[in-house]
Amino acid sequence: MKIKIAKYSGFCFGVKRAVKTVFDNLNKNICLFGAIVNNKYLLNDLKKSSVFVETNLDKIDKNKIVIIRAHGVGPNIYDKIKLLDLDFIDCTCPFVKKIQRIVKKNFDSKNKIIIVGNQNHPEIIGINAYANNSCFIIKNIKEAFIFANRIQDCDIQIKNKLEKYICVSQTTFDFKEFSKIKKILENKLNLNLKIYDTICDTTYKRQVEADELSSNYNIVLVIGDETSSNTKKLFDICKKNNKNTFLIEDLADMYKINIDLKNKSIAIIASASTPKYLIEKVNKELEIKYNN
Ligand code: SF4
């Protein structure tokens, strides 16, 4: 049996930083404004230390310190925190902050803003709030076509180059799909469009590696929570190349896989929100069970 753990596995820079902040402040009566990572094992560990997730600021006690997660929040949330006179620690990932700044600046300049991503994802909800929720949000190639055709047909100002559009993407968006969407928008919106490549570096590297490993190994185990956006993206990339790709949250899921793992080459890929110990647990079990 050959086992390969992807080089870019487990917590990314932004998540590592946010999780470290939480653990460094465990003795300070903290409260998580939204899940710090989309991983139930880590959240359960935090619950044991009496750190809970709250999504409604009104329900947070005055003596708590609010932790803003790596996905970031909109200006409305900072205003509300101030209004409620709550202390907070901001763990917004700098890559997300950069997108927020781009969006705010362009909104202030009256440019129209396109976000490529999932409109229900907290990162996108936060970014959109910097443009007073006025962004056009496109989640896939099909929507990009519909959007570009609609704008081109109805927007006479575009033809006269009077209106300027800018486009950013969710930091964890599929980079291949984003390239296709960029081309669709560029073809239709021509010179009136400026595109910012805002998929973060670690996401890009993980996706490239997932693409390569899933093409070269018999079986791919993607470890991560099914609620995590970047887990899902990695799973989708691998599944396209390799039908023997499985999403597992923990060891128990590995044993549900209806395939003989013996004498197979296995790639282990883990999302940016998967704790290291889960990766090691799966790897160790595979080594013990199948490598003797
Ligand atoms: S995936 Fe990228 S943008 Fe998101 S938290 Fe991690 S490093 Fe930051």
Side-chain angles (χ1 to χ4, degrees), residues 14-283:
V15 169
K16 215 180 264 175
R17 180 174 165 265
V19 170
K20 183 177 183 308
T21 305
V22 170
F23 280 96
D24 286 350
N25 288 281
L26 277 184
N27 58 347
K28 285 197 189 146
N29 206 10
I30 53 175
C31 171
L32 308 176
F33 184 58
I36 194 87
V37 284
N38 286 321
N39 189 279
K40 54 178 82 71
Y41 296 94
L42 188 97
L43 294 175
N44 280 341
D45 287 347
L46 288 171
K47 258 188 214 167
K48 286 177 201 151
S49 302
S50 299
V51 177
F52 296 97
V53 175
E54 182 51 80
T55 50
N56 183 348
L57 286 173
D58 289 312
K59 288 189 181 163
I60 298 178
D61 286 347
K62 290 271 176 286
N63 60 348
K64 295 264 187 201
I65 301 173
V66 177
I67 305 278
I68 295 175
R69 59 184 163 178
H71 296 319
V73 294
N76 51 322
I77 300 297
Y78 291 107
D79 290 348
K80 181 100 193 227
I81 286 174
K82 206 172 163 193
L83 191 78
L84 293 169
D85 201 22
L86 292 163
D87 281 336
F88 71 99
I89 301 174
D90 194 348
C91 294
T92 306
C93 179
F95 300 121
V96 177
K97 278 259 182 232
K98 186 178 159 199
I99 307 176
Q100 293 172 346
R101 279 196 298 272
I102 293 170
V103 166
K104 177 165 181 354
K105 188 170 156 245
N106 279 281
F107 178 67
D108 291 344
S109 306
K110 308 224 176 323
N111 294 329
K112 294 194 170 174
I113 298 153
I114 303 162
I115 304 176
V116 178
N118 173 357
Q119 63 173 349
N120 299 317
H121 191 278
E123 179 187 312
I124 300 307
I125 293 170
I127 291 169
N128 193 16
Y130 284 87
N132 203 16
N133 302 317
S134 67
C135 299
F136 300 98
I137 303 175
I138 291 171
K139 73 166 184 286
N140 53 29
I141 291 171
K142 191 178 163 201
E143 285 192 8
F145 266 120
I146 295 169
F147 170 80
N149 284 331
R150 183 162 49 86
I151 292 291
Q152 201 189 34
D153 287 346
C154 71
D155 208 335
I156 191 73
Q157 300 214 57
I158 274 238
K159 292 182 185 114
N160 296 333
K161 307 202 186 322
L162 294 173
E163 271 189 340
K164 193 177 161 205
Y165 283 76
I166 69 124
C167 172
V168 295
S169 82
Q170 189 169 339
T171 54
T172 50
F173 202 78
D174 181 327
F175 79 91
K176 281 190 180 168
E177 196 167 354
F178 187 54
S179 295
K180 290 178 190 156
I181 290 174
K182 280 194 291 192
K183 283 201 185 100
I184 295 165
L185 297 176
E186 275 166 350
N187 285 342
K188 299 280 182 187
L189 301 180
N190 205 342
L191 292 175
N192 290 325
L193 174 71
K194 178 170 166 103
I195 296 178
Y196 295 85
D197 242 312
T198 53
I199 292 172
C200 80
D201 193 48
T202 181
T203 296
Y204 173 77
K205 286 178 177 157
R206 277 161 204 261
Q207 291 181 5
V208 170
E209 194 183 25
D211 199 22
E212 192 211 311
L213 291 178
S214 55
S215 306
N216 292 306
Y217 280 71
N218 301 140
I219 291 169
V220 184
L221 301 179
V222 179
I223 311 175
D225 205 284
E226 54 184 15
T227 60
S228 148
S229 153
N230 77 87
T231 302
K232 197 159 173 320
K233 283 273 160 7
L234 291 172
F235 175 79
D236 290 344
I237 288 168
C238 295
K239 191 78 180 176
K240 269 184 210 156
N241 294 335
N242 188 331
K243 67 177 174 34
N244 289 324
T245 297
F246 303 93
L247 175 62
I248 61 170
E249 293 194 349
D250 197 1
L251 270 185
D253 290 341
M254 192 175 86
Y255 286 113
K256 289 182 200 151
I257 296 172
N258 198 12
I259 196 164
D260 184 11
L261 301 178
K262 206 169 171 51
N263 299 323
K264 300 282 191 322
S265 61
I266 302 179
I268 297 177
I269 289 167
S271 82
S273 49
T274 305
K276 203 172 166 194
Y277 72 83
L278 282 177
I279 305 167
E280 282 168 356
K281 212 165 126 188
V282 170
N283 181 38

